[in-house]
Amino acid sequence: MKSRFSIDPFLAKLFLAVIVASILPAHGTGATLFSWAANLSIALLFFLHGARLSREAIVAGAGHWRLHLSIFSVTFLLFPALGLLAGPLFAPYVTPELHTGILFLCCLPATMQSAIAFTAIARGNIPAAICSASASNLLGVFVTPLLAGLILAGSSTGDAPISLDAVGKIMLQLLLPFVLGHASRPWLGAWVAKRNRLLKHVDQGSILLVVYTAFSASVIGGLWTTTPPSALLAVLLISAALLALVLGLILLLGRLMGFSIEDRITLLFCGAKKSLSSGIPIANILFAGHAVGAIVLPIMVFHQIQLIVCAIIAGAYARRPARAGA
């Protein structure tokens, strides 16, 4: 019971970074140095992810096109549609920046590590999960900025800061290192595969740097003076309601599509989760000059909720009786 409801240590570090940025925000030359360090660490992170990605795993899971199409439909169609439709309902209860952050959250790709890990715990289709989660993150480099531009343009925020220049920066900072890393796999793949702890440290360290830098700029711009506690509570409730609705629709979709239990598990964990490690760097580029700290806050809240809920669901699936011959 304790492990089900404990706070993810990384999330605790994230909120600690927010507290430090609120008390001691980086400014001037320090802010510039932190920004450069964050950008370089994110590039290194995607390079290592590219070097780690196995082509054999991609080939093993790529053939299940109906499952992948269903997952991508949930990630890039259902989520944004729900955000756009529900936007007028929750807009009065949050600030414009938090509203933008919730809509941006709906446009993000799926997680990689946790989606695959929960699928493995629940005894789902692991090769398909690896293929789908990896493809979702690559597609997110292109799709997320375009979706965010369309959603924000059609929302009550009236804010659409997405430009082709921003998309180009995302490709340069995220996609190019990933491709270079994957091209180096024949030489570095085995070395990276044996160093999961290194990848974990780079993953968490890069996100902490980006969060601290983004919140420092937002705090200096008056983040906490313009964000009431009631708006933060509203973000928590909206995130929980959004996740619950999507989980229910995914379960219904899996049955309508006639998927096996293993494929329904993969659909659930790859479709309902949103990527913090991709979302924060993309937001940092797309919303440069805006209140990035407030915009990424819904991602952090949703991330913690999805970890707790998906851990409970994965445990329930793991306790089901094994099928004969499975």
Side-chain angles (χ1 to χ4, degrees):
M1 183 67 67
K2 181 179 178 181
S3 62
R4 286 184 181 182
F5 296 99
S6 60
I7 296 178
D8 178 20
F10 177 52
L11 263 294
K13 295 176 185 177
L14 277 178
F15 287 111
L16 179 60
V18 172
I19 294 173
V20 173
S22 300
I23 299 173
L24 297 171
H27 54 83
T29 304
T32 302
L33 292 176
F34 271 106
S35 179
W36 274 100
N39 291 338
L40 290 175
S41 64
I42 289 295
L44 175 61
L45 168 64
F46 276 78
F47 178 87
L48 293 176
H49 274 302
R52 187 185 186 189
L53 181 61
S54 169
R55 297 179 188 178
E56 291 78 12
I58 296 176
V59 172
H64 207 335
W65 64 268
R66 291 175 65 248
L67 176 59
H68 298 314
L69 184 61
S70 299
I71 293 172
F72 297 152
S73 296
V74 171
T75 301
F76 296 119
L77 292 179
L78 177 61
F79 259 108
L82 292 175
L84 190 58
L85 291 173
L89 299 178
F90 63 73
Y93 304 101
V94 295
T95 64
E97 292 79 13
L98 291 175
H99 186 193
T100 297
I102 294 171
L103 295 179
F104 176 68
L105 161 70
C106 293
C107 302
L108 291 178
T111 60
M112 287 184 65
Q113 293 97 327
S114 60
I116 296 169
F118 283 133
T119 300
I121 292 171
R123 305 205 313 268
N125 188 334
I126 299 174
I130 295 173
C131 180
S132 179
S134 302
S136 180
N137 275 258
L138 288 178
L139 286 173
V141 175
F142 305 99
V143 177
T144 294
L146 299 177
L147 274 178
L150 291 173
I151 295 298
L152 293 175
S155 71
S156 58
T157 64
D159 187 15
I162 315 303
S163 65
L164 291 177
D165 181 61
V167 176
K169 289 180 179 179
I170 292 173
M171 293 178 62
L172 181 63
Q173 186 175 339
L174 306 184
L175 182 60
L176 180 59
F178 187 93
V179 172
L180 293 176
H182 194 60
S184 70
R185 179 172 170 76
W187 302 278
L188 297 179
W191 184 84
V192 172
K194 295 178 181 178
R195 287 164 175 80
N196 288 328
R197 185 177 295 274
L198 170 64
L199 188 58
K200 178 181 179 181
H201 288 325
V202 175
D203 192 343
Q204 296 188 357
S206 60
I207 298 304
L208 289 173
L209 274 173
V210 174
V211 167
Y212 173 75
T213 305
F215 270 89
S216 292
S218 297
V219 168
I220 293 174
L223 169 65
W224 298 126
T225 60
T226 58
T227 306
S230 60
L232 298 178
L233 177 60
V235 169
L236 178 64
L237 296 176
I238 292 166
S239 298
L242 177 63
L243 180 61
L245 179 59
V246 170
L247 287 173
L249 292 174
I250 286 177
L251 291 174
L252 177 61
L253 175 62
R255 293 185 180 278
L256 291 176
M257 295 293 292
F259 291 142
S260 65
I261 182 64
E262 291 80 10
D263 288 345
R264 294 204 302 270
I265 289 171
T266 302
L267 173 61
L268 186 72
F269 291 124
C270 291
K273 297 173 69 61
K274 290 294 186 177
S275 175
L276 181 74
S277 59
S278 294
I280 291 181
I282 292 175
N284 200 43
I285 298 173
L286 286 184
F287 302 102
H290 294 68
V292 180
I295 292 173
V296 302
L297 197 55
I299 306 174
M300 296 167 60
V301 172
F302 187 88
H303 185 79
Q304 177 61 38
I305 295 173
Q306 74 181 8
L307 285 178
I308 294 173
V309 173
C310 289
I312 295 172
I313 296 175
Y317 274 122
R319 291 189 293 273
R320 75 186 189 278
R323 292 188 295 110

